[in-house]
Amino acid sequence: GARLKLLAALFFNIQPMTGVAGINNGAGVWWSNLVGILLFHLGNLVSCLDFFLHPPPGSDKSHSWLAHGNLPITGMWIYQVATWLLVLGNLLACNWWAESPTAQWVPTTHWLVV
């Protein structure tokens, strides 16, 4: 999971770097943030699976999700749910193939994207 998130961090930096370079009228490449969030989300899924297969020290399935030893697991599940929303937002707001006018599935002002 951590390696996927590290790779995602590299992709997250491509879009601003290419935007500063003036690519696509300053918007940068269209695909890097989408690839980044997909990799980051996949990393969260792998981490959740890892916690399921190999529970961290101090965790106890007989206690609540908010028990001190279970907090890392609870946090990872919250991160995983949050990245589902980020994946959805990126898919909906991505300007596919840098089209002009925009090729977004949903306008950025739509409540699904906000």
Side-chain angles (χ1 to χ4, degrees), residues 13-26:
N13 283 290
I14 291 173
Q15 188 273 328
M17 179 184 66
T18 56
V20 169
I23 295 172
N24 196 18
N25 294 325

Side-chain angles (χ1 to χ4, degrees), residues 4-114:
L4 288 167
K5 293 177 190 179
L6 180 62
L7 184 59
L10 297 174
F11 281 98
F12 284 138
N13 283 290
I14 291 173
Q15 188 273 328
M17 179 184 66
T18 56
V20 169
I23 295 172
N24 196 18
N25 294 325
V29 294
W30 65 270
W31 49 267
S32 67
N33 281 338
L34 179 61
V35 170
I37 195 58
L38 289 172
L39 288 169
F40 197 85
H41 180 59
L42 185 59
N44 282 343
L45 292 173
V46 168
S47 295
C48 284
L49 178 64
D50 183 46
F51 276 170
F52 178 74
L53 297 175
H54 310 285
S59 64
D60 188 348
K61 291 181 181 181
S62 67
H63 289 96
S64 80
W65 285 19
L66 297 178
H68 181 73
N70 293 339
L71 287 177
I73 299 168
T74 304
M76 187 50 57
W77 277 95
I78 291 170
Y79 293 153
Q80 188 235 125
V81 170
T83 54
W84 272 113
L85 298 173
L86 290 171
V87 166
L88 176 65
N90 270 269
L91 286 172
L92 294 174
C94 183
N95 186 14
W96 299 93
W97 298 278
E99 295 290 323
S100 182
T102 184
Q104 292 175 222
W105 292 347
V106 176
T108 308
T109 56
H110 194 276
W111 68 270
L112 276 174
V113 178
V114 175

